[in-house]
Amino acid sequence: MSRSKEINRSITAAAGSALRPLGLLQKGRSRTWYDDRAWWLIIAEFQPSHNPGTYLNVSAMWLWVERDHWAFDEGSRLYWRDDGSFVTRPPVGEPGWSEHVGFVKPDQFFRDITVTAGVAAARIAELRAQFPHVGAVAESLTSRTTRPDESPLWHAYHAGVAAAICGDVTQARRQLTRVVPADPAAGWQRSLAAQASELLGLLDDRVALRERLIQTVSQTRQRLKLPVAASGWDETGF
């Protein structure tokens, strides 16, 4: 068996053991697994690297924006220790944190990737607890500043949508207005601005706003080749 096939086989086996019991699904035969939460996903990506092995990215993806690709909206790269503890950003200069599982030989790699898959499972549980409903998303996004690795426009859009769903019209208008610049430079900025502008026009009609966002989520799910979400709206505050 080639080294790349051995790496993929070990990742699939370790991730399956750690993530499938949590209800996650593998995206085709890729290194990506996802937790389907109806209006959002939790994505666990065992990211390939130039050196044989893998990094680990775990993030929430909000589905209330029109797009046809998988994205890391809330979270990304993880760092961990051999005991399974992990952080999203290790303290500067503190030794002992890993961000990459390197391949030396099959038994070593499987042992190490098993630890990493356990870290992914723990982070997924953490995100589930952090965002049990839309209100928690709104509170989290509107109370923090934009991260260095995050676009201010995306942050404002997601914060504005979450606030709008929760009925906080003032906060929603404040955030979504930031997404509508006078002269968007890139295509994705124009698209996001158009979506934000449409939602701004619906803020005073909560029923129409909710229907439009459910439609957007459904369209995005279709573009991502996800099944129709049979439930997950009302019980989570959407």
Side-chain angles (χ1 to χ4, degrees), residues 22-103:
L22 298 180
L24 271 77
L25 300 172
Q26 186 178 11
K27 182 175 178 281
R29 300 180 66 181
S30 73
R31 295 185 179 189
T32 299
W33 293 69
Y34 64 96
D35 182 19
D36 192 340
R37 316 295 290 175
W39 49 271
W40 66 296
L41 306 175
I42 302 176
I43 303 170
E45 177 195 39
F46 296 85
Q47 180 188 352
S49 59
H50 292 298
N51 296 321
T54 185
Y55 296 102
L56 174 63
N57 304 311
V58 181
S59 175
M61 175 182 177
W62 316 122
L63 300 179
W64 48 48
V65 59
E66 296 176 9
R67 51 187 170 184
D68 58 4
H69 58 277
W70 300 64
F72 295 98
D73 292 322
E74 190 69 17
S76 187
R77 182 69 51 81
L78 290 181
Y79 301 78
W80 62 90
R81 294 183 185 275
D82 290 341
D83 63 2
S85 58
F86 64 91
V87 293
T88 56
R89 190 181 298 275
V92 177
E94 185 173 293
W97 294 103
S98 300
E99 64 170 326
H100 182 262
V101 185
F103 181 91

Side-chain angles (χ1 to χ4, degrees), residues 174-220:
R174 180 184 301 119
Q175 297 289 346
L176 291 173
T177 299
R178 296 173 179 171
V179 190
V180 189
D183 185 22
W188 69 266
Q189 292 176 331
R190 290 190 291 272
S191 174
L192 197 64
Q195 292 178 69
S197 180
E198 180 183 4
L199 296 179
L200 281 167
L202 296 174
L203 286 180
D204 294 324
D205 187 342
R206 193 169 181 180
V207 173
L209 175 76
R210 182 179 186 273
E211 290 177 351
R212 181 66 184 98
L213 288 171
I214 289 177
Q215 181 185 44
T216 298
V217 170
S218 298
Q219 291 173 339
T220 297

